[in-house]
Amino acid sequence: MTVAVLPTVAYGDPSAPPLILLRGLPSEPGRARGLDALTERWIVGGPARSHRVHAVGRPAQLAPGATMAEIAALYAGALRRRFGAPAAVMGVSTGASIALQLATDHPDLVSSLVVAAGAAALGAAGRAVQRRYADLLATDERVATSELAVATMDSPLLAPAVRLVTRLLPGPADPAGLRVLVEAEDCYDVRDRLCRVAAPALVVSGGRDVFYPLDLATETAHRLPRGTHIVYPNRSHAGVPLHPRFGRDIGEFLRAQLPAGRIRSGDLRAQGSIPYS
């Protein structure tokens, strides 16, 4: 298998235990840009108080037809080379799908797991939105970005403003590779394999998430042998990581999994890009 180099942006104390953050779409390789960069800093706020957070996007130039299992295997190889020991893993949205695939296929690599705005499979509405997104990526990247943002917000009142703002932003890096990832998630479903996940797991869901609806998220949490579920009832897909309690809930869960004496207070300054090589 090809050796993947996954550049990261790291936050927090370099001596703290690692947390691997798998980004949601567009899951930019390297450093997140624009609004995604601001959102990422908000997301890591809680975890970076006790962990060194390594935010990582998708591998560059994914081969057409790659499956979620094959994509997760690229991350698994990178984590084995970089850390050589189990680490905490957190995924958001499509990143949560990769995290669950990783935890089911390579449970020895995951010491604790956070599934944020995700589940063990896409819902029917989410699958339809992402199929349209994949088609648009091949024809108009800015429209693709705009329509995905509107769907994640799930707010008709905000839709015109969201479309206006997002169409002014740059398109995703490597749109062909992004389309491969989106198409891979279309066939993703690990519900029958969640029993393989040995690590304690937290699922954080929104009650109005159209991509990973609450029934699927609840089933995911129940099937995880050591699963816990937190629901923000009135939150859309995009609203989950923006909830005022999100950072605190994630941070408390992750700190509870640390051995005594390993909790420390980190800072939130982004460190340089560190390749998993």
Side-chain angles (χ1 to χ4, degrees):
M1 177 174 289
T2 302
V3 175
V5 177
L6 302 173
T8 74
V9 175
Y11 301 84
D13 186 341
S15 65
L19 167 66
I20 317 307
L21 170 63
L22 306 182
R23 294 172 176 145
L25 297 178
S27 189
E28 294 282 71
R31 188 175 294 276
R33 299 178 295 165
L35 294 176
D36 290 331
L38 295 175
T39 303
E40 181 165 294
R41 290 184 66 84
W42 171 264
I43 289 172
V44 304
R49 298 184 185 281
S50 56
H51 288 71
R52 173 74 159 176
V53 183
H54 301 265
V56 59
R58 58 192 151 84
Q61 300 177 338
L62 283 170
T67 66
M68 286 292 275
E70 291 169 340
I71 293 169
L74 295 176
Y75 287 88
L79 295 183
R80 289 187 197 280
R81 292 189 300 274
R82 175 65 175 84
F83 298 107
V89 176
M90 171 180 170
V92 179
S93 188
T94 297
S97 298
I98 299 172
L100 277 166
Q101 186 80 56
L102 176 71
T104 57
D105 292 353
H106 310 274
D108 60 305
L109 290 177
V110 181
S111 61
S112 57
L113 176 66
V114 176
V115 176
L122 266 170
R127 185 171 287 109
V129 170
Q130 291 198 180
R131 285 176 179 172
R132 172 169 166 73
Y133 179 58
D135 290 341
L136 286 170
L137 282 171
T139 57
D140 193 326
E141 300 160 20
R142 290 178 187 267
V143 172
T145 299
S146 176
E147 292 306 306
L148 183 68
V150 168
T152 62
M153 294 295 293
D154 190 24
S155 173
L157 290 176
L158 293 177
V162 171
R163 284 193 174 95
L164 177 63
V165 171
T166 52
R167 291 190 186 190
L168 297 175
L169 300 175
D174 183 26
L178 174 55
R179 186 178 183 185
V180 172
L181 175 58
V182 174
E183 290 174 343
E185 192 178 15
D186 191 71
C187 300
Y188 154 81
D189 188 338
V190 295
R191 281 176 286 184
D192 291 341
R193 304 181 67 243
L194 293 175
C195 59
R196 290 175 48 83
V197 180
L202 173 65
V203 179
V204 185
S205 308
R208 295 194 300 107
D209 191 329
V210 299
F211 288 82
Y212 308 90
L214 190 56
D215 59 337
L216 271 176
T218 300
E219 180 183 0
T220 300
H222 286 172
R223 289 194 179 211
L224 286 163
R226 302 172 66 186
T228 302
H229 197 193
I230 293 176
V231 179
Y232 303 142
N234 297 314
R235 288 285 165 153
S236 65
H237 183 67
V240 172
L242 299 179
H243 192 280
R245 280 200 57 90
F246 180 80
R248 185 188 311 173
D249 288 338
I250 302 298
E252 288 177 354
F253 169 79
L254 290 169
R255 285 190 289 275
Q257 314 313 316
L258 291 176
R262 293 220 64 185
I263 299 176
R264 61 182 70 235
S265 179
D267 64 51
L268 304 186
R269 292 173 294 176
Q271 309 297 319
S273 179
I274 306 170
Y276 288 151
S277 56

